[in-house]
Amino acid sequence: MAVPIAVLDCDLLLYGRGHRTLDRFKLEDVTDEYLVSTYGFPRQFICYLVDLLGATLSRPTQRSRAISPETQILAALGFYTSGSFQTRMGDAIGISQASMSRCVANVTEALVERASQFIHFPKDEATLQTLKDDFYGLAGMPGVLGVVDCTHVAIKAPNAEDLSYVNRKGLHSLNCLMVCDSRGVLLSAETHWPGSLPDCSVLEQAALTSQFETELRKDGWLLGDSSFVLRTWLMTPLHIPETPAEYRYNMAHSATHNVIERTFRTLRSRFRCLDGSKGTLQYSPEKSSHIILACCVLHNISLQHGLDVWSAPATGHMEQSEEEYEQTESVDSEACRVRQELLLTHFS
């Protein structure tokens, strides 16, 4: 009696001598509607990923070479967008759940290798000015280069039961620091911080801080909420606004900062592996961090392809922040001067 290949996970079949590729699934055999409903993305996007990652996923040093890049990418997209290694999805492309797990690992690392290609701040003056102009068009807040915030993604307890990953709610998580532009494109994503770290401590230690203090122009700033401390390059809301100008500043700040909240909703709507609906990420903190970053890369690529899902309903339990805001005004007199000048120049 013949045994379906879909339920086998034999090294000889998967990695057989000569590294012959097993073509289990063909994109041209299914409809666009099926691809979107099962893997979360249309054919053109998937073909782009095959072109982008194909050489990496076919490296002779990788044992899974026998599984085609196309199949590996479909397996990974299926996991990212559903949060599950369900048997139905593996059967659809002809591989076992164990093979799907290996495919997710391969595609994740290939995307992480390309993170700096797709997630970065622009360098040229013209593009930086466009960033500011686009943000100004939202709510009249000048000089904004990006909006920053943290979001927690639940993970399983590390084997060492490291308490540094236990957040304020008593759950294990990674605290992810992200910056986006006015369209929700991510300009920075640091996904590896332990969940016990408050947002302000994450920012204090982040590469983002070094980047803004040493590289980016001084005539612009990020917008952050009250979980962060005011800096010359980071404008926070006033804790207790008193004058009309201060109220206008806070309103413009809130309306502009809302972009990052919408971006977080987009991420969890598109990538259900992050939203907690199918449980926590069942990986080590390092591997979980890489999966989150891979989803961030795919988020930016999808926006480049015009796949905007900001209208999608919020789902799941991906928290924006674990902070209980207790604003501490900055002791940086220069930062206070910069914000006061902003108030007087643009909101008085």
Side-chain angles (χ1 to χ4, degrees):
M1 181 176 66
V3 179
I5 290 179
V7 300
L8 296 179
D9 190 28
C10 173
D11 278 358
L12 182 60
L13 285 173
L14 291 178
Y15 321 119
R17 296 178 183 86
H19 294 291
R20 290 176 298 173
T21 298
L22 299 183
D23 294 320
R24 299 170 170 81
F25 186 91
K26 296 292 186 181
L27 285 177
E28 58 268 24
D29 293 339
V30 296
T31 64
D32 286 332
E33 291 76 12
Y34 173 81
L35 290 173
V36 172
S37 64
T38 307
Y39 304 104
F41 292 95
R43 187 185 316 274
Q44 183 180 10
F45 182 88
I46 295 170
C47 290
Y48 173 82
L49 291 182
V50 173
D51 290 339
L52 178 70
L53 306 178
T56 301
L57 298 176
S58 299
R59 287 174 181 165
T61 54
Q62 290 184 334
R63 295 185 67 206
S64 61
R65 182 182 178 184
I67 303 179
S68 70
E70 182 179 283
T71 299
Q72 292 184 63
I73 288 167
L74 288 171
L77 292 178
F79 169 71
Y80 297 146
T81 58
S82 73
S84 171
F85 286 122
Q86 54 189 315
T87 302
R88 176 182 62 82
M89 190 170 296
D91 288 346
I93 54 178
I95 62 176
S96 68
Q97 292 188 34
S99 296
M100 281 193 66
S101 181
R102 286 191 291 271
C103 292
V104 169
N106 291 341
V107 174
T108 295
E109 292 310 306
L111 288 168
V112 167
E113 287 176 6
R114 291 160 176 77
S116 62
Q117 176 183 346
F118 293 99
I119 304 175
H120 57 82
F121 278 91
K123 298 294 185 181
D124 62 286
E125 292 288 349
T127 309
L128 288 170
Q129 186 59 51
T130 298
L131 274 181
K132 298 176 189 178
D133 293 344
D134 290 344
F135 274 117
Y136 187 80
L138 292 180
M141 179 69 76
V144 180
L145 296 172
V147 289
V148 59
D149 208 346
C150 288
T151 188
H152 285 250
V153 176
I155 63 172
K156 73 172 184 178
N159 291 334
E161 281 296 329
D162 190 341
L163 295 180
S164 67
Y165 291 95
V166 179
N167 61 36
R168 295 175 70 108
K169 294 185 176 180
L171 304 174
H172 291 83
S173 68
L174 290 168
N175 195 3
C176 305
L177 180 74
M178 300 187 192
V179 180
C180 73
D181 70 9
S182 63
R183 296 192 302 117
V185 175
L186 293 171
L187 306 174
S188 178
E190 300 185 34
T191 60
H192 62 283
W193 298 103
S196 67
L197 282 180
D199 294 358
C200 59
S201 296
V202 168
L203 183 61
E204 185 71 30
Q205 302 174 53
L208 178 68
T209 294
S210 175
Q211 183 179 17
F212 263 82
E213 291 184 344
T214 61
E215 298 177 24
L216 289 176
R217 310 300 187 269
K218 300 299 183 182
D219 58 347
W221 39 71
L222 300 178
L223 294 189
D225 62 23
S226 298
S227 62
F228 300 112
V229 176
L230 180 71
R231 299 169 183 259
T232 56
W233 50 268
L234 176 64
M235 294 292 103
T236 59
L238 290 138
H239 185 40
I240 305 177
E242 296 178 348
T243 68
E246 291 175 345
Y247 276 103
R248 285 192 287 269
Y249 166 85
N250 270 13
M251 289 179 64
H253 188 291
S254 177
T256 307
H257 189 266
N258 184 56
V259 173
I260 192 72
E261 298 168 10
R262 296 171 67 190
T263 300
F264 288 156
R265 289 197 295 270
T266 295
L267 281 167
R268 69 170 178 256
S269 295
R270 177 172 274 150
F271 303 109
R272 301 296 297 275
C273 68
L274 306 181
D275 75 355
S277 63
K278 298 293 177 65
T280 62
L281 286 175
Q282 296 297 303
Y283 298 91
S284 68
E286 180 182 9
K287 289 184 178 179
S288 295
S289 170
H290 285 184
I291 287 173
I292 300 166
L293 184 56
C295 290
C296 291
V297 173
L298 289 172
H299 167 81
N300 276 9
I301 296 175
S302 67
L303 289 178
Q304 289 180 6
H305 282 73
L307 304 178
D308 187 353
V309 295
W310 268 8
S311 59
T315 60
H317 310 288
M318 183 180 178
E319 299 292 340
Q320 177 191 344
S321 176
E322 297 291 335
E323 296 298 297
E324 293 179 2
Y325 297 151
E326 296 178 2
Q327 174 144 349
T328 301
E329 283 297 331
S330 175
V331 295
D332 185 341
S333 59
E334 178 63 14
C336 293
R337 185 197 64 76
V338 170
R339 186 170 65 180
Q340 188 61 29
E341 182 177 326
L342 178 59
L343 281 163
L344 293 173
T345 304
H346 294 278
F347 295 98
S348 294

